[in-house]
Amino acid sequence: MAEATAEKKKSSLNNPVIIMLLIVIIATLLTFFLPSGQYQRDGKLVVPGSYAQIEKPIEAANIVASGLVETPKGQAAPAGIADMLQAVPEGIAKQSGLIFMVLFIGGMFGILNKSGAIEAGLERALGLTKGNIYILIPVLMLIFSAGSTFMGLAKEYLLVIPMVIALTTRLGFSSILGLAIVTLAVKVGYLASITNPYALSVAQPLLGLPVFSGLSMRVATYFVMMGLCIAFLMWRVRQEIANGVSTQKIEFDSKPLSGQHFAMILVLVAGIIFLVYASHTWKWKSSSLSAYYMFLSIVFAAIARFSPGEAADAFVSGMKKVLIAAVLIGLATAVAIVLDKGKVLDTIIYYLVSLVGESSPYVATYSMFISQLILDIAIPSTSGQAAVTMPIMGPVGQLSGVSPQTTILAFLMGNGLTNVITPTSSGLLIFLATAQIGWGQWARYVWPLIILLAIAAIILLTVAVSIGY
């Protein structure tokens, strides 16, 4: 009985909503304990050397809500309990487009799953490859990472997560292995960002560098980090086999697909290709993507010959499976909203930049890397973090003898590495929600890899400084 109670408590603490709520509470407390301050901004860009503290008188009423005490112009107020709670629905409203996109993807896969097309397609694919997991992992990861490191693809991979998870579970492995194949490939692709326009088109011009310049170290970073990820997942596969996954040869259905299933898979593949093209050609946002997923859902339902009622039931059933994403994305966004209300986000940036100082180029580079790791919790957006930190880190790096390209590399590694695990990243949260895997379970699964990647990052940054990259 005692063991069951302890297990229940442990399970509740691992609940991703509880974890995210604790982070929101910590952010709220920081608005009381950290001084408020602000950088001047030129649009979205921070003006270096412009940080100034803002007076923040604190009264008992501030604990309840900042609005209960009149705040004179030019002063700040901490975020109270009411502000913290209000930040959650504000975060959901702010990210409504992203949330609906995730829900519509879930609905689309609800229809695909009900039709049996995904299961039939995977059975056929596994029959052709003979289900060799040691071939599938590197091939799939190289394909997925190519899209993210060259073109900046990320949310487009939401479509393939359920399929890769179905593949690994069909082979007898865990669903988290399927999630890791996609997530680690995408995140490491962003970490290297060989020609990722979302990271480099913002960061490099801010330091006076041509966009996409300095390929050599980013290519080396890609191969080192991807090699570690593939080796890590191979080790996880061996662990699962040692823990009881059957290694006996599995017989797969080698029958050709039915005409109906073939048509649905053909539409899915063509739909993904067109999605990648449209997203980059016409710069589709969340609302356009949601409409596109709804259109595909209608096409799939028509091919499967579902009645309107059957299609609606399948769509809603699929949406229910990813509904927790709405709350998680709202909580993640609430962290930034709370820090902004208390005017302490710029203070955190200022303190972290102060840690870099005018030290040796090696120490300064490591400090930049660590600063970007920490800042990514508050600013998980790659382009957003570049716009805020590059105008500050660039001059600081030059004073310490760090080249602009190495400063960019430290930013990419810090931002990319934290995004593998940070609970405030809406991108990671929607991946987890799509896979129906909790953040705590994911963190326990990848923490050994995070340590390996951090060590590799330090080594690569050391090489970058030593060769004058």
Side-chain angles (χ1 to χ4, degrees):
M1 186 71 177
E3 288 181 4
T5 305
E7 186 64 30
K8 188 175 180 181
K9 287 182 179 179
K10 183 180 177 181
S11 177
S12 66
L13 289 174
N14 287 334
N15 187 297
V17 174
I18 300 300
I19 293 170
M20 281 305 310
L21 188 57
L22 288 173
I23 294 173
V24 175
I25 292 171
I26 291 170
T28 304
L29 292 174
L30 287 177
T31 66
F32 282 88
F33 295 109
L34 289 180
S36 293
Q38 205 163 24
Y39 282 100
Q40 295 177 19
R41 280 173 167 76
D42 180 9
K44 291 184 178 181
L45 304 181
V46 169
V47 178
S50 64
Y51 176 80
Q53 284 197 5
I54 303 173
E55 188 179 350
K56 182 170 62 179
I58 299 176
E59 300 183 21
N62 290 136
I63 297 174
V64 179
S66 58
L68 292 179
V69 180
E70 186 177 351
T71 305
K73 189 175 181 180
Q75 291 187 358
I81 296 172
D83 300 309
M84 177 187 73
L85 295 175
Q86 189 175 336
V88 178
E90 283 180 8
I92 292 174
K94 187 175 181 179
Q95 299 280 15
S96 58
L98 176 62
I99 290 168
F100 277 107
M101 184 190 77
V102 174
L103 292 175
F104 279 27
I105 289 173
M108 185 187 74
F109 272 99
I111 290 175
L112 282 171
N113 288 332
K114 184 175 176 64
S115 72
I118 296 295
E119 185 178 349
L122 286 173
E123 193 76 10
R124 181 64 175 154
L126 290 170
L128 293 173
T129 60
K130 302 188 184 305
N132 191 326
I133 193 70
Y134 296 108
I135 295 175
L136 288 168
I137 286 177
V139 169
L140 291 175
M141 291 188 76
L142 288 172
I143 292 171
F144 298 150
S145 64
S148 62
T149 201
F150 290 116
M151 296 185 292
L153 302 184
K155 59 181 177 291
E156 291 83 357
Y157 288 110
L158 287 170
L159 286 170
V160 301
I161 288 175
M163 291 184 282
V164 178
I165 288 176
L167 183 150
T168 55
T169 53
R170 176 67 183 87
L171 290 172
F173 295 96
S174 64
S175 58
I176 199 169
L177 175 64
L179 172 66
I181 290 172
V182 182
T183 304
L184 294 179
V186 172
K187 298 300 183 181
V188 169
Y190 254 79
L191 187 153
S193 286
I194 295 176
T195 60
N196 176 3
Y198 295 106
L200 299 177
S201 64
V202 176
Q204 287 188 316
L206 290 175
L207 299 190
L209 297 169
V211 179
F212 305 139
S213 61
L215 281 172
S216 57
M217 280 303 298
R218 295 200 302 278
V219 170
T221 298
Y222 171 80
F223 283 109
V224 170
M225 300 301 195
M226 188 54 58
L228 287 173
C229 285
I230 292 172
F232 172 77
L233 288 187
M234 294 297 191
W235 172 64
R236 284 297 193 189
V237 164
R238 302 300 297 178
Q239 274 193 323
E240 291 194 30
I241 291 174
N243 290 334
V245 171
S246 175
T247 56
Q248 294 179 356
K249 185 175 178 64
I250 301 174
E251 295 294 331
F252 300 104
D253 191 352
S254 58
K255 291 189 302 183
L257 293 170
S258 67
Q260 187 184 75
H261 286 159
F262 178 78
M264 294 183 77
I265 290 172
L266 189 64
V267 170
L268 178 61
V269 172
I272 293 174
I273 294 171
F274 183 76
L275 169 66
V276 172
Y277 171 79
S279 296
H280 287 77
T281 304
W282 299 310
K283 308 299 179 186
W284 276 3
K285 302 297 182 184
S286 297
S287 58
S288 299
L289 292 168
S290 298
Y292 181 68
Y293 296 134
M294 185 166 62
F295 166 73
L296 287 179
S297 300
I298 294 170
V299 173
F300 291 138
I303 296 174
R305 298 176 184 175
F306 289 157
S307 68
E310 287 177 321
D313 288 343
F315 192 83
V316 172
S317 176
M319 290 176 74
K320 286 178 181 178
K321 292 181 179 179
V322 295
L323 193 57
I324 192 175
V327 180
L328 292 175
I329 292 170
L331 286 167
T333 309
V335 174
I337 292 174
V338 166
L339 293 175
D340 184 60
K341 280 185 177 181
K343 302 293 183 187
V344 297
L345 181 56
D346 283 3
T347 299
I348 294 171
I349 295 169
Y350 174 75
Y351 283 161
L352 289 174
V353 172
S354 299
L355 289 175
V356 178
E358 296 180 32
S359 48
S360 75
Y362 291 98
V363 174
T365 303
Y366 305 149
S367 300
M368 285 182 186
F369 169 64
I370 294 168
S371 297
Q372 298 289 0
L373 283 173
I374 298 170
L375 278 174
D376 194 62
I377 297 172
I379 316 173
S381 166
T382 299
S383 57
Q385 192 174 339
V388 170
T389 62
M390 285 301 96
I392 305 172
M393 293 292 187
V396 170
Q398 288 179 337
L399 290 172
S400 303
V402 180
S403 71
Q405 291 287 14
T406 301
T407 300
I408 295 290
L409 189 64
F411 153 69
L412 291 173
M413 288 190 181
N415 171 265
L417 182 55
T418 315
N419 264 331
V420 177
I421 199 170
T422 181
T424 57
S425 168
S426 58
L428 176 61
L429 292 177
I430 59 177
F431 274 34
L432 295 177
T434 303
Q436 299 180 61
I437 288 172
W439 180 84
Q441 183 184 358
W442 173 252
R444 289 192 301 274
Y445 189 83
V446 299
W447 74 263
L449 177 64
I450 297 296
I451 294 173
L452 287 175
L453 294 178
I455 294 170
I458 294 294
I459 294 171
L460 287 165
L461 288 172
T462 302
V463 172
V465 174
S466 66
I467 65 175
Y469 167 69

